Amino acid sequence: MELDWSWRFAWEILPDLLAGALKTLAAVGIGYSMAIVGGLILALLQRTRSRLLSAAVREFVEFIRSTPLLLQIYFVFFVGPQFGVQLSPWASGLIAIGLYRSAYLSEIYRGGLEAVPAGQWEACTALNLSGRDAYFRIIIPQALPPATAGMGNALIAIFKDTPMLSAIGVAELMHAATVVGANSYRYLEPYTLVGLIFLLLSLPAAWVIRIFERWLRSKLGMV
Amino acid sequence: MDSSQDYPLELTGTNVPMVRFMNVSKNYGGLKVLDNLNLDVAEAEKVSIIGPSGSGKTTVLRMLMTLESINSGVIYVDGKPLTHMPRGGKLVPADASYLRRMRASIGMCFQSFNLFPHMTALQNCVEGPIQVLGLSKAEARDRAEELLSMVGMIEKKDQHPARLSGGQQQRVAIARALAMRPKVMLFDEVTSALDPEVIGEVTNVIRKLVSEFRLTMLMVTHQMGFAADISDRVCFFFSGKIEEQGEPKQLFGDPKRERTQQFLSAVKDAV
């Protein structure tokens, strides 16, 4: 069997794909930012003294983690309007991805927070720091370095989540490739290029996370 | 909680102690750690607590630092209730903001130092004064540098704890606690995690600072020599009670109770 690869066609469709890749990057950036903050909120809510609240958040996190992302995207986009929440594909998709990865990241933060020795909390009490100062100035900075590996994985995972947005018509990279394929009946080049672009985008991401971890550790004096 | 209304809302009169434990009990599940403890510590008095492990001595300090709640009784600090607060003419268990206010007069050093690893020695010492006492950065730094000089750590002020030896970390921890200007200082086995050759540098610092600042001090220690020479009074704890107490010379030289004698001779044999 002969491989029917056309460089000319690949070159022709590249601009469309790169435009899609930009949207993918935007989705990753926004979704990840939401997850970084949302995950922290979910992790902290699980540590509140109110048993009811922490149990409710715990269940919510479990629920999000154990149902498919695609279902959640459909739910926000197609079922949302029935409850009067009408959102664009972009907004629905990003909310779903942000929540989904928040749930995962909250578990990573939780591990990092629990790894901070109890003595650190006792020192905060002995110095009479407020709960807020204790968390944001003492405990969270120490919980971050052990969490960076997991945070890096979450970033890569979000890259791979974004093609699901094509299911509700967000014109990200995967969607662009599918449109190209449907119009030209050629799928080899677009999907190969999609694979390459994903690879090129996520390799530096992993590298950036490693740099960030090293920077964080040296900044915190934990070399 | 037992009937807290039987306890005074405030200690008045002459000779109000700096710290008073009044009928304080503490259990973990079914295990009674402290059994109806009554203990007064006068202002500027230095009290050492000795005893076998599991006798409840560390719990005494941890309750005073509000790291542990109590099951019954009341603790007073400087005449005011610590574990409880006055409300409607009687004492009710203290809430978080009341505890926070009362805690300001108490400082504590720990066996495991508990310095903040992501901050330098100096940053450790200005964190509380800036965030809690509201000092300006310059004021807090001046004060911290003065204290770090007193504990002999000024040259290392920009080092992170990971770069300091145990004895150095503990001296920074002492400076950090004193930077909060406590009236009562608690030392919980502060030399137990140290190599023998650096114990002296820490005990010397404590000796110097406690007399210089006229602090009220409660100290749990296994260093009998240090306890003997720094304390006004030594309390021997045994299974959640004070078995015997007295001036160091009396308690170490001429213990009256059999358990005290056994403990002291066991400690002596170990050295």
Side-chain angles (χ1 to χ4, degrees), chain B residues 238-271:
Chain B
F238 194 87
S239 64
K241 282 177 183 283
I242 299 179
E243 179 80 14
E244 183 172 357
Q245 57 180 316
E247 283 177 31
K249 206 189 271 176
Q250 180 268 312
L251 192 112
F252 288 118
D254 182 24
K256 302 281 183 257
R257 312 278 295 205
E258 200 186 331
R259 280 177 182 142
T260 320
Q261 294 161 2
Q262 280 168 355
F263 175 76
L264 289 175
S265 80
V267 169
K268 209 171 287 166
D269 290 345
V271 174

Side-chain angles (χ1 to χ4, degrees), chain B residues 109-122:
Chain B
C109 291
F110 302 87
Q111 179 177 354
S112 49
F113 328 131
N114 299 344
L115 289 176
F116 302 135
H118 57 302
M119 296 180 174
T120 64
L122 184 66

